[in-house]
Structures are given as structure tokens and as C-alpha cells.
Amino acid sequence: MSEVEIAAAGEPIETDEWRRVSPLSMVVQGLDLIARAFIPLAFVTYGVATGDALGTDDGLGTPTFIAAGVFLLVIAMSAVSTYLGWYRLRYRIGANDVRLEQGIISRSARSVPYDRIQDVSLEQKLLPRLLGLVEVKFETGAGGKEELKLTYVKEAEGEALRETVRSLVEDADEAATTGPEAENAVPSAPAADARLLFAMNEKRLFTYGLFSFSLVIFTVILGAAQQFEFLLPFDLGDLIESFVEDERYADAGGYIAGLDTTSRIVGILWLIVSIIGVGLLSGLVKTFLRDYDFRLERTAKGFRRRRGLLTKTDVVMPVHRVQALIVSTGWLRRRFGWHGLSVISLAQDSGSANHDVAPFAKMHEIAPIAGEAGFALPDDSEEWRRPSPKYYVDSAIINAITFIVLAAIGVTVALAMENLRGSVLALIVALVALLTAFFALREFYLWRYDRHALDPDQVLSRRGWLAPRTQIANRVKLHTVEIAQGPIARWRGYCDLKFGMAGGSFAFEGLRVEDARKLRAAVLDSIASVDFAKLAR
């Protein structure tokens, strides 16, 4: 049986055998190279067509011929380069590591031992997905950097690779715990079928998209206009410059001034409705593209999350590598009871240490997921404590000083230009007073709502007023506990208590020094009481 047949049959990949990625990967890479070369080719074509490239203008015959020749040359060079790159790339699933060798002229070889591999994830972008290909990523948790990835292999081969490497990783973990400590090690739970923990259907996605208001489309349009300005029938920079120099904005203002009150109100309402509509549509599109067919399952390997419309991702997060939970919400969605749950894990999630496991859910849906991860959501029994009020008073004073300094700079500039009227000065003073009062009130409410707590198993932090964010960490999985003080904090008697963990960190800000020391001592006692050789790796 051939290697591809073995993968297609779902059997484990043979170790110590050199293999190549799918030949269809050349199609994907070739099209990607052509897409990247599109803009330079467009520039060349435009320059030739306008006679700028040759200094002549012979009509469309010669320019078209030259442009076609350049395009075919690029395709030919891309095809040769892609084939040689595919032919010279090979990988091997060895007894102790995964090894990848590549390079046409200059060869490189990389290997990752199994004891460093955190997980193996699969990702499918649109074109590879249409061809039945998948990208395999071997994740090490090394600061968000992917050590190795294979682009691309057949879906069945990718699944077989993932299962084979995971088995070898587990064997490496078991071998590392053999010895005197292995006798007291807790046996792993038997494998179980996948259980669905959370899913989002189209109705849930639509609701989520309405709460994901976004105006990023305007940034995309501006960026596209900048990149493809040469294709426009006018020069965008010249258009803006002439609009200002010719004072055409005054004509526009005069036109608006000539409208009656009803027309102005209708125009303003139309503008507001248009912006809101574009923002809602952008949020819906972004949500459906990212989270379509969202499914979170509990498998024997951990949490398995699949999502995506054009780019489909399939990530497994081992439960014992989950370091902390984050429960967050927005200022509007919390009014309707919607929250999001993500985990801080050693495994990666497209370059990020945070995994969304329930991005839009009710609390009764989040609680079972937290329980599966070994965490408990806070309840009324928690003994919440407030930070020091001095921390928030100092923040309000610093904000007020900042506004006053900026206002003083503005007044100085206006005086230097002899363009300062009494009404302008009054407006500046009123604005500074308003901003100072607003941020002072904000600090007061933050002091009322910011909380921290310590229970026998967990460290808890709740921050924020309009959009509260709760972070829960296991005391045993914390690595460091640090008390940090700046010069003002040292003078005023408060500090930040920072907790370090694999995959992330969080802090209690503005604590009284005596409270921080008690918390640090309690957490260090929890860490010191654990024999880490007996924990699952």
C-alpha cells in the first residue's frame, strides 16, 4: 500500500520514512505567486500602454504583445520555481522528532522533538479547501511562533499526521514520567467519544454579527484606493488637493446652507443610518467568515474547535494545558446576557495564545465548558476585595494634569498666532473641565467595579465597568508572583501584583501593599505544595 493510500485509509503514518507534500500544493503556490505579481504586472502593463515604458505610443498592438510576454514569462518562472521547491521539500515523522528539509540552492533542515510539540492543528484556506488540501501546523508554544508547517497535504493525510504525531507526543510524555515518580502518577482517563459542548447556528451567528459593529470596511476601501490608484480614471491626491485649493468645500457648504431645515435633518439621518448600516453589514460579514459552523467538542485529546467559512480551522486544545479562562462581554451585549469565553493555553491559535471557545454565549452555556477545563466560575461565595482608592485618585489627577498641559499648549500656540478669542478660550476651559470631570467619574466607577479574589484553587480578577472582563487562573499553574511599584505607587503605598503563567499573564493593579503580600504568600504556598513531576505535561 502506498503512502497516500495509507493516509486515505486513516491508518497511522509510517515513521522514519521521507515523504513529500501533495503535488496539488504546486497549484496553490503557483496561483499565489501570480496573485502577488499582479500589482507589479499591472504597473508594467499600464506603463507600456501609455508609452511611458518605451517612450513611444504605437497603439495597443505592441504594448499588448509585450505585456502578454512579460505575463507568460512570470508564469513560466513561477512554475519552475514552484516545482523545484516542491521537489526539494521533504519531511519525516521520526522516532524522536519531526524533521523538515527544504531549499533549492541553499538547503535548510529543521526538526522539533516530540517533547516540545504542544499540538498539531489543521487549517484550510479557500483555494486549498476546494482542492481537498490542508495545512498542518506543529505548534510548540514558543512565543506564538510556528516552528514547522506543511503546506499542503491531502485532508486524510493531514488527519493521519495529526493522530500519529499526537500519539508519539503522548509516548514521549509517558517516557518522561517513567521512574520513581511514575508509580504515584495518576493514570490518564480512558478515551471517550467526542461530546458537543457548544455550537453556533446561523441564527446565533446573525445575532453575534449585529453586536460586532465594525467600520473596518472604510479602512479597506481607502487602502484599496491607495494600492490601485493607478487604475482609477483620476488622481486621488490631485482630486483632494484641488478640492481644498479651489475651495470647493465652500460650495458644498453653501449648498447645504441653502437647504431647508427638513432637508438637513433628513440628510443627517440618512448619513447616520448609512454609517450604521455599513457597520452592521461589516460585522455580519466578518462574523460569518470567521465563525461559520462553529463547533466546540470535548474529545479524549481535549477541546476540539472547528470554525470558518472561507478559511476553515481545526484546533485541539489539550485540557491540561489550559492555564486560565477569560470571560468578557461588551457594553451593549451584556444588557442582553451575552458573554464570550476564551482560554489561555500553551497551544497556539493562529499566532495567538488565546483561544475562543464560546465567543457568543449565555453564562449557563459557559459554566459547563469552564467545568470541563477544571475551573469554576465565581459566585456569591467569593470574597471580593477592592484595590486601593489611592490608585484611582492618582490616575484621575494624572489625567487632569495631562488635559491642562495640552490646553496650555493649545492656548500658547493660539496666542503666538494672534488668533485667540474670548469665546475660544472659554471653550477650551470648558472642554478641559468636562474631560477632567468625566475621567474622574470614570475612575470612581472603576474603583467600585474592579475586584480581585483568592479561593482555595483559583485566582480571580474582575475589571471594567461598561464591559467587564473576568480572568480566572489556577493557583497551581502559576509560575511567578511579582510585586511591582513605580515611584508614585511606592510613595502612596500601593502596588501591582503580577502573575506569570505559561502562555500569558495577568495582574491585580493598584492593590494595597499589605494585601498584595498576603496574596503572594498564599499563591506561593500553593505552588510550593505541588510536585510538578506528577502533573500531566
Side-chain angles (χ1 to χ4, degrees):
M1 185 180 291
S2 68
E3 294 177 351
V4 175
E5 290 173 339
I6 289 175
E11 299 178 10
I13 299 294
E14 293 293 334
T15 58
D16 292 325
E17 289 187 2
W18 288 103
R19 306 169 62 88
R20 287 194 177 92
V21 297
S22 171
L24 288 175
S25 63
M26 290 186 289
V27 177
V28 179
Q29 294 174 11
L31 292 175
D32 182 60
L33 286 173
I34 293 175
R36 293 182 183 181
F38 171 76
I39 293 179
L41 283 173
F43 273 113
V44 172
T45 304
Y46 180 77
V48 172
T50 56
D52 293 338
L54 300 176
T56 61
D57 189 2
D58 300 331
L60 293 178
T62 302
T64 303
F65 177 77
I66 295 176
V70 172
F71 186 73
L72 292 175
L73 180 62
V74 170
I75 291 178
M77 293 177 61
S78 299
V80 173
S81 174
T82 301
Y83 173 76
L84 292 176
W86 171 82
Y87 183 78
R88 296 285 287 170
L89 184 148
R90 62 177 187 168
Y91 70 93
R92 183 186 68 186
I93 307 300
N96 302 309
D97 60 7
V98 178
R99 185 177 179 87
L100 174 68
E101 295 183 358
Q102 60 184 341
I104 300 175
I105 299 176
S106 177
R107 298 283 289 172
S108 66
R110 292 182 293 168
S111 64
V112 180
Y114 293 125
D115 58 2
R116 286 187 54 205
I117 294 178
Q118 304 291 345
D119 190 33
V120 183
S121 63
L122 307 179
E123 181 175 308
Q124 285 182 302
K125 293 183 172 63
L126 178 59
L127 184 57
R129 190 175 179 182
L130 294 175
L131 296 175
L133 302 177
V134 65
E135 183 178 62
V136 183
K137 298 180 181 180
F138 301 95
E139 302 168 352
T140 64
K145 181 181 178 181
E146 298 157 4
E147 293 293 339
L148 287 178
K149 61 180 179 180
L150 301 176
T151 51
Y152 298 88
V153 299
K154 286 289 188 179
E155 290 185 40
E157 186 175 358
E159 291 283 354
L161 274 170
R162 177 163 64 177
E163 294 305 316
T164 300
V165 173
R166 281 179 179 164
S167 298
L168 293 169
V169 170
E170 290 176 358
D171 293 342
D173 289 346
E174 292 176 1
T177 56
T178 56
E181 298 86 356
E183 299 178 0
N184 299 323
V186 179
S188 59
D193 295 333
R195 289 186 291 112
L196 182 64
L197 295 179
F198 180 74
M200 291 198 295
N201 55 24
E202 286 79 6
K203 182 179 179 181
R204 177 74 65 93
L205 283 172
F206 183 82
T207 307
Y208 184 22
L210 293 179
F211 283 98
S212 303
F213 183 87
S214 173
L215 295 177
V216 70
I217 185 65
F218 291 110
T219 304
V220 174
I221 292 174
L222 290 175
Q226 228 177 5
Q227 290 292 329
F228 299 100
E229 183 182 356
F230 63 93
L231 298 177
L232 298 176
F234 54 84
D235 187 276
L236 189 61
D238 291 343
L239 180 65
I240 297 175
E241 185 178 353
S242 64
F243 185 79
V244 175
E245 288 183 353
D246 299 343
E247 297 185 351
R248 279 188 278 169
Y249 61 86
D251 296 336
Y255 173 77
I256 295 174
L259 298 175
D260 56 29
T261 304
T262 303
S263 299
R264 294 180 190 177
I265 294 175
V266 171
I268 293 173
L269 290 177
W270 174 254
L271 178 62
I272 294 174
V273 170
S274 300
I275 293 175
I276 293 175
V278 171
L280 292 176
L281 182 61
S282 299
L284 285 169
V285 171
K286 181 179 67 174
T287 300
F288 270 84
L289 289 177
R290 182 189 61 218
D291 293 318
Y292 182 77
D293 196 25
F294 188 103
R295 296 176 63 85
L296 179 72
E297 298 173 331
R298 179 65 165 94
T299 69
K301 304 292 185 181
F303 294 124
R304 182 183 185 185
R305 191 206 64 198
R306 289 173 285 179
R307 66 176 179 178
L309 183 60
L310 300 181
T311 298
K312 184 177 180 181
T313 58
D314 186 345
V315 179
V316 174
M317 297 159 265
V319 173
H320 63 270
R321 291 183 177 134
V322 174
Q323 307 296 301
L325 301 184
I326 300 174
V327 181
S328 58
T329 185
W331 66 272
L332 181 59
R333 69 181 66 176
R334 67 174 297 202
R335 302 295 186 272
F336 297 88
W338 295 109
H339 296 77
L341 176 66
S342 60
V343 302
I344 296 177
S345 173
L346 291 177
Q348 301 172 33
D349 185 4
S350 298
S352 172
N354 292 346
H355 297 271
D356 291 325
V357 292
F360 194 69
K362 300 287 188 178
M363 289 304 295
H364 71 269
E365 297 173 315
I366 290 176
I369 302 175
E372 290 286 346
F375 294 83
L377 297 180
D379 52 28
D380 296 335
S381 64
E382 302 294 346
E383 186 179 349
W384 293 100
R385 297 178 64 86
R386 285 195 181 102
S388 170
K390 296 179 181 179
Y391 171 74
Y392 298 91
V393 171
D394 292 348
S395 297
I397 293 174
I398 291 173
N399 287 330
I401 293 175
T402 302
F403 296 140
I404 292 172
V405 169
L406 292 176
I409 294 174
V411 170
T412 303
V413 172
L415 286 173
M417 298 176 63
E418 298 181 355
N419 192 27
L420 182 64
R421 301 176 181 176
S423 58
V424 176
L425 179 60
L427 180 62
I428 293 175
V429 172
L431 183 60
V432 170
L434 183 61
L435 290 174
T436 301
F438 171 78
F439 280 95
L441 187 63
R442 174 181 177 271
E443 295 297 332
F444 170 73
Y445 274 99
L446 287 178
W447 172 75
R448 286 193 58 191
Y449 285 92
D450 286 356
R451 299 283 192 278
H452 60 271
L454 187 71
D455 67 21
D457 301 311
Q458 302 176 144
V459 175
L460 304 102
S461 171
R462 179 177 292 166
R463 319 294 283 185
W465 167 33
L466 292 176
R469 172 187 173 97
T470 302
Q471 195 163 3
I472 309 167
N474 192 308
R475 288 169 61 166
V476 171
K477 294 183 178 181
L478 296 174
H479 291 182
T480 60
V481 188
E482 175 189 357
I483 292 179
Q485 285 182 294
I488 297 177
R490 189 178 305 167
W491 172 50
R492 297 278 284 166
Y494 58 83
C495 64
D496 295 340
L497 188 63
K498 299 182 179 181
F499 302 96
M501 68 183 76
S505 63
F506 74 103
F508 295 163
E509 297 177 345
L511 271 63
R512 297 178 179 88
V513 175
E514 56 271 20
D515 287 347
R517 288 172 178 167
K518 292 178 182 178
L519 288 171
R520 181 177 64 175
V523 173
L524 289 176
D525 287 342
S526 299
I527 297 174
S529 64
V530 176
D531 185 354
F532 287 88
K534 298 179 182 179
L535 293 178
R537 300 187 61 191

